[in-house]
Amino acid sequence: MLPRHDQPIAAIATAPGRGAVGIVRVSGKGLAPLVQRICGRALKPREATYLPMRDAKGQPIDHGLALFFPGPHSYTGEDVLELQAHGGTVVLQLLLARCLEAAAELEDTGRACLPGLRLAQPGEFTERAFLNDKIDLAQAEAIADLIDASTEAAARSASRSLSGAFSQEIHTLRDALVRLRMLVEATLDFPEEDIDFLQQADASGQLERLHRSLDAVLARAHQGALLREGIKVVIAGQPNAGKSSLLNALAGAELAIVTEIAGTTRDKVQQTIQIEGVPLHVIDTAGLRESDDTVERIGISRAWDEIAAADAVLFLHDLTRQDQGDYRAGDDAIRATLAERLPAQVPVIDVWNKTDSAGAELQADGLRLSARTGDGLDALRRRLLEVAGWQSAPEGLYLARARHVEALQAVGQHLDMAAAQLRAAGPHLDLLAEELRLAQNALNAITGEFTSDDLLGVIFSSFCIGK
């Protein structure tokens, strides 16, 4: 544990701005003297007490509730004091300042009331909960995901992760992996024994079952990561194809300006929508064409930058102009550039707009819709979910992150290598044992039982102050 984790910390734990209630939180070892200074009395553990919260001169800053949670039975595993006052910015700042001031005041022994009390860094309360074994790393991340959830489905799934559903699946995989490692290590440790531990214990079958269980967890983690992060969908096409109208139709609001003038959209317009709880970050871009207008050229350049970073591209065509030679040449040029700039795995969905105005039949493959009337939008939504890889949400789905998916994929790679060693004639048991060890390390990195300080810094720095 780093030295700073021994220092007591304090912060305003509620969001900035006005509110009915605001909370100042203090966490550390030996908070009883500070509780006496701030509250004027000792507090019963885990019992809310209504009292005046006084400044250094004994004048009330506010009247509110004070709660004291002695460690280890607290959120952080340390002593925790929570002061619940009226949610004004000035009131909370005064309470926080009073906590810091009181901590430095000397007691009769000549020692500071709470030496070293400082402002908490982002996520430090939750980091201490992790370091003190109150939660594991996956649960800590679920707290931030629950706060940041943009859909009801994401919030419910984050809550399941926080309750330990995802961690339990990881622990089950790890326990099976440990049992398999034990067999391999036993064979390595007792080579003189006339017993084939691996064959008698069906090591090959255990490894196969472990891989199947991993595949099931990985599939759910993929769904959970999609529910958390969504996909970036860029609408591209020539001017006046109806890109802005399509964005407005998907969002259900007039977000982008729509006119008959080519080149109306000069910069990107972005909106996050949800389909079956999956967030889709939809971006409307400038019409793609050759232009002498400086501002429009900048918009077109930014459009291509967005397209290059997309998870999926909606290539929008104007059905009313499908027979015009210059329009078809423009679409062909865009398609050729898409093929050059996009990775092969990024899908390009052809969408033909303006079915409400077109008299001709569609002469190419693709979805047909009318952004103006909404006809065909449901089919497009289903196609976007299909492209994203979303399946109907299984019962008990938990939220996951990209790093969890990457770790599980690494586990699968090590298990593949282990299976290859096990199938080989005269297998190298030391290499088999090493692959299993690396697989376990990758699993442990998900829950934080094996991880680096650098990773912890990245994860907890994304939290809000006071959490």
Side-chain angles (χ1 to χ4, degrees), residues 231-423:
I231 65 169
K232 178 179 178 180
V233 179
V234 175
I235 306 174
Q238 296 188 61
N240 276 353
K243 298 183 296 300
S244 298
S245 297
L246 180 56
L247 173 65
N248 292 341
L250 288 171
E254 295 296 322
L255 302 174
I257 299 173
V258 178
T259 75
E260 298 297 326
I261 303 172
T264 297
T265 302
R266 297 296 185 96
D267 203 353
K268 69 175 184 179
V269 179
Q270 179 171 337
Q271 177 69 13
T272 297
I273 64 172
Q274 58 170 302
I275 305 175
E276 294 186 16
V278 179
L280 274 71
H281 314 292
V282 184
I283 301 174
D284 173 28
T285 58
L288 303 177
R289 65 174 179 178
E290 296 293 331
S291 176
D292 295 327
D293 186 297
T294 301
V295 175
E296 187 178 2
R297 283 205 307 271
I298 293 173
I300 292 170
S301 176
R302 291 181 178 179
W304 281 114
D305 290 341
E306 294 294 336
I307 290 169
D311 296 310
V313 175
L314 295 181
F315 187 4
L316 196 63
H317 311 276
D318 184 345
L319 193 56
T320 64
R321 292 185 281 168
Q322 65 169 322
D323 294 325
Q324 297 177 12
D326 57 343
Y327 182 78
R328 295 177 71 113
D331 269 7
D332 290 342
I334 293 172
R335 189 178 302 281
T337 308
L338 287 173
E340 293 174 2
R341 298 198 181 193
L342 282 180
Q345 69 271 19
V346 176
V348 177
I349 305 172
D350 286 294
V351 180
W352 291 83
N353 188 27
K354 305 184 183 181
T355 56
D356 56 312
S357 301
E361 290 297 321
L362 180 63
Q363 298 176 6
D365 294 333
L367 295 171
R368 297 184 60 178
L369 58 79
S370 169
R372 178 179 297 174
T373 66
D375 181 50
L377 283 182
D378 286 342
L380 176 59
R381 294 187 181 101
R382 289 193 298 270
R383 178 67 176 132
L384 286 172
L385 287 179
E386 179 185 334
V387 164
W390 177 251
Q391 303 162 2
S392 56
E395 186 66 28
L397 181 66
Y398 43 73
L399 220 58
R401 295 190 171 199
R403 81 168 190 93
H404 301 153
V405 174
E406 292 170 1
L408 290 170
Q409 289 172 336
V411 174
Q413 292 168 1
H414 290 303
L415 292 185
D416 287 339
M417 295 295 291
Q421 287 294 335
L422 201 55
R423 290 192 301 267

Side-chain angles (χ1 to χ4, degrees), residues 122-133:
E124 195 166 1
F125 289 96
T126 303
E127 183 180 18
R128 292 192 178 197
F130 163 70
L131 293 172
N132 291 325
D133 296 324

Side-chain angles (χ1 to χ4, degrees), residues 448-461:
E449 292 160 87
F450 172 81
T451 192
S452 67
D453 289 337
D454 288 342
L455 177 60
L456 295 184
V458 170
I459 289 173
F460 289 107
S461 65

